[in-house]
Amino acid sequence: MNNLFTIFIGMVLINNMILAKFLGLCSFFGVSKKLSDAFSMGIAVTLVLLIASISTSLIFNYILVPYELEYMNIVIYILVIASLVQIVEVIIKRTNIALYNAMGIYLPLITTNCIVMAITLLNSTEHYSVLESVVNALGAGVGYTFVIIIMSGIREKLDLADTPKSMRGLPVAFLTAALLALAFVGFNGMV
Amino acid sequence: MGAVINILILTAIGLVCGVLIFLVYRFLPGESDSLKKTEEISENLPGVNCGACGYPGCFAYAQALVKDKNIFFTSPCATVLNDPVMLNNLAEVLDIKVDPSAIKKKAVVRCYGNSDLIGNYTGVKTCRAASSLVGGYKRCPYSCLGLGDCVKVCPNNAIYIDEEMNVAVINPEKCNGCGICVRECPRGLIKLVPADSNIVYLCSYRPRRNIPGRERCDMGCLHCKKCFKACENGAVIWDEEKAIPGFDFTKCTLCGKCIEACPHGRLIELSKIKKENDSKKESSTRESSRKEDSGGESSSDKEKITV
């Protein structure tokens, strides 16, 4: 139990996927302009991470390891994650159209995002069990949502600020992200 | 032997994924008719999700069209209207007849600019912020603040700020009438007019607390009703409550008599804005054309008054 908690907190704050490992940055800068969009994106990332880590850790622990096929993990993971996300998208589209309107366009966007690949590969290199993988993915998803919400809040305010012309838009967003990353260094050594 | 098993395992995983996708597509409660229609419609939409129609994206717009196809007339997709092929396809799918020239619109900023300042404004450089703070920094409450909220949202870069007149100007050649700027202007100065209409009135002043226009802004409407009297076809409607002219574009014959009659040159041909492009040089021609416009009549008017 203690171990699971450590994994979760570690993923949310200390090894935050965006600010400590610099993964998933394209969606982090692309979708963080509006708070509502950022929130939907965060939920979608968490969902995809959970689906991906459950399926891949099952395959890793019960198929790849017994047959010593670990070296093929990237190929299999891409195949499995892509098809599963496709299935989830279709299910959402046909059963709940309101939910599809809210986050449908984000699901295919993050299917092949590096953050998804990184979490699944991390699960296999650390030899996490299925439960640990799920907690790991949940932590990464919550950490992503947390940071992208902070970022979008700042950027909404930043739009109104009197920024120098050359810094407007993306440049000042990069600076903000750098300062946020520095702030998150403060969590180092917590666990 | 081991290699064969490995190949078999990998193939099996791939097969399972493929079969799963097939099963989901085959056995899930099939797409309802409305969803099928929605997809058919959204294939004929531009798919750029600009939000100009007032819906969050093309898919949401298609959903709204499925429910009520008359929405296309009340909030049309400007990109489709400007593309005859797309328009034909969409009209076929929706089973409606569309006459693009009847719905096509252009946006006009109804302010001539250069209203007197109350004071210097140094705050956040957006119209929305400026107008929520003491109702804007210009004397006329219906003047363009010229901070360019509309410029930022225009997907076609059709709007520019005329530095000299301190007013946003929409280039009717570039404007496709999407109406995003109409919603963006905090003072509601931008209006969509029919694209083939020739005459626009560049002031949205309404007397509030019975203050005549000129005390607010010497560019404003005099309420002289000359345009109303000059029109022979009854196309100029005098709005007693607002005390500014309105137009019935169905009756307008584009004779231009109201333009000649206006002592201030506030009535202007829509096509005349076209010549005034983004460059500074041309914005100065706008200034000079204004002087010419108002020069003839209004100076002679003034002479009459002084004499």
Side-chain angles (χ1 to χ4, degrees):
Chain A
M1 191 59 213
N2 197 15
N3 185 27
L4 290 182
F5 186 71
T6 317
I7 292 176
F8 182 78
I9 290 296
M11 270 337 261
V12 174
L13 295 176
I14 302 155
N15 294 324
N16 189 294
M17 270 299 167
I18 297 173
L19 295 180
K21 301 199 169 171
F22 307 117
L23 291 167
L25 284 182
C26 52
S27 59
F28 175 61
F29 284 110
V31 199
S32 64
K33 273 185 190 158
K34 264 169 67 186
L35 193 58
S36 54
D37 290 353
F39 187 70
S40 316
M41 184 70 182
I43 299 292
V45 167
T46 314
L47 186 70
V48 171
L49 279 177
L50 281 177
I51 295 167
S53 65
I54 291 173
S55 54
T56 54
S57 65
L58 278 175
I59 287 174
F60 183 77
N61 285 327
Y62 297 110
I63 299 175
L64 298 192
V65 171
Y67 289 95
E68 292 172 355
L69 273 170
E70 290 100 325
Y71 60 92
M72 290 298 280
N73 55 5
I74 293 185
V75 179
I76 294 177
Y77 287 179
I78 290 176
L79 183 75
V80 171
I81 295 169
S83 49
L84 278 182
V85 174
Q86 186 72 29
I87 288 171
V88 169
E89 198 202 344
V90 174
I91 291 177
I92 290 179
K93 196 173 184 180
R94 295 212 186 155
T95 52
N96 191 339
I97 199 75
L99 190 64
Y100 179 77
N101 283 341
M103 53 183 272
I105 48 169
Y106 299 115
L107 278 181
L109 264 183
I110 35 175
T111 311
T112 48
N113 196 306
C114 49
I115 200 168
V116 179
M117 215 59 224
I119 285 293
T120 50
L121 288 177
L122 196 73
N123 286 341
S124 9
T125 47
E126 299 273 331
H127 283 270
Y128 280 153
S129 70
V130 177
L131 185 62
E132 282 168 334
S133 308
V134 171
V135 171
N136 193 24
L138 190 67
V142 170
Y144 181 93
T145 316
F146 179 52
V147 170
I148 202 172
I149 284 177
I150 294 178
M151 184 67 173
S152 61
I154 297 176
R155 281 186 79 175
E156 275 187 359
K157 290 272 182 294
L158 215 54
D159 271 351
L160 295 175
D162 194 11
T163 7
K165 202 169 186 180
S166 54
M167 296 292 288
R168 242 169 252 170
L170 215 47
V172 84
F174 277 119
L175 278 187
T176 318
L179 291 176
L180 264 181
L182 269 182
F184 268 64
V185 170
F187 289 117
N188 267 357
M190 203 170 78
V191 177
Chain B
M1 195 56 203
V4 176
I5 291 177
N6 291 353
I7 293 171
L8 280 180
I9 288 171
L10 294 187
T11 324
I13 292 176
L15 264 179
V16 167
C17 289
V19 169
L20 263 180
I21 292 184
F22 171 75
L23 287 180
V24 166
Y25 271 91
R26 180 72 184 75
F27 289 108
L28 257 174
E31 298 188 346
S32 58
D33 284 347
S34 70
L35 191 62
K36 255 182 210 163
K37 189 94 190 280
T38 312
E39 276 180 350
E40 203 180 341
I41 293 172
S42 66
E43 269 169 28
N44 288 308
L45 291 175
V48 289
N49 296 324
C50 68
C53 50
Y55 293 88
C58 287
F59 194 76
Y61 185 52
Q63 279 176 322
L65 280 178
V66 169
K67 274 185 202 140
D68 180 11
K69 54 189 172 188
N70 288 327
I71 283 177
F72 190 78
F73 296 105
T74 51
S75 53
C77 173
T79 319
V80 170
L81 276 186
N82 285 311
D83 185 337
V85 179
M86 229 190 257
L87 184 68
N88 271 343
N89 289 340
L90 190 66
E92 216 167 83
V93 172
L94 285 177
D95 194 24
I96 49 173
K97 273 183 188 164
V98 186
D99 178 15
S101 63
I103 332 177
K104 241 188 205 173
K105 296 206 161 155
K106 303 270 178 204
V108 175
V109 180
R110 292 173 303 156
C111 176
Y112 215 89
N114 269 357
S115 167
D116 294 343
L117 301 179
I118 296 175
N120 263 341
Y121 178 73
T122 52
V124 176
K125 293 269 184 262
T126 66
C127 304
R128 191 163 291 279
S131 69
S132 57
L133 187 78
V134 297
Y137 57 93
K138 293 203 169 175
R139 198 159 286 274
C140 171
Y142 302 100
S143 62
C144 173
L145 293 169
L147 293 174
D149 280 15
C150 47
V151 178
K152 279 177 214 150
V153 294
C154 182
N156 297 320
N157 294 327
I159 312 179
Y160 67 98
I161 299 286
D162 187 335
E163 302 283 347
E164 219 162 316
M165 301 298 289
N166 219 343
V167 63
V169 183
I170 300 175
N171 181 349
E173 264 174 7
K174 285 188 191 168
C175 177
N176 69 359
C178 66
I180 296 181
C181 49
V182 175
R183 288 194 293 279
E184 197 63 23
C185 183
R187 299 194 144 182
L189 297 179
I190 305 177
K191 193 184 175 191
L192 288 175
V193 297
D196 53 354
S197 72
N198 209 6
I199 293 152
V200 288
Y201 175 61
L202 293 184
C203 180
S204 10
Y205 183 77
R206 280 177 240 166
R208 205 158 61 174
R209 297 190 293 268
N210 288 328
I211 304 167
R214 292 202 79 167
E215 287 181 21
R216 288 275 180 180
C217 164
D218 40 338
M219 305 282 170
C221 181
L222 294 166
H223 317 301
C224 64
K225 292 199 189 180
K226 271 190 180 169
C227 48
F228 176 63
K229 288 165 196 158
C231 187
E232 290 158 0
N233 309 305
V236 178
I237 308 153
W238 190 258
D239 188 334
E240 283 296 337
E241 199 181 320
K242 295 177 183 170
I244 53 170
F247 292 94
D248 185 348
F249 292 109
T250 52
K251 287 182 190 165
C252 181
T253 55
L254 312 178
C255 64
K257 278 184 184 158
C258 48
I259 297 177
E260 283 168 27
C262 184
H264 242 174
R266 285 307 82 85
L267 287 167
I268 198 166
E269 280 175 47
L270 188 62
S271 54
K272 217 166 204 176
I273 308 180
K274 267 180 204 167
K275 294 167 197 160
E276 296 135 10
N277 257 328
D278 314 33
S279 68
K280 279 223 163 162
K281 196 181 81 189
E282 272 149 335
S283 79
S284 66
T285 62
R286 174 188 164 82
E287 173 71 14
S288 61
S289 81
R290 184 187 69 83
K291 274 174 189 158
E292 279 165 26
D293 271 358
S294 55
E297 279 111 343
S298 85
S299 63
S300 63
D301 272 8
K302 270 176 199 164
E303 277 167 24
K304 275 175 204 164
I305 296 165
T306 46
V307 170

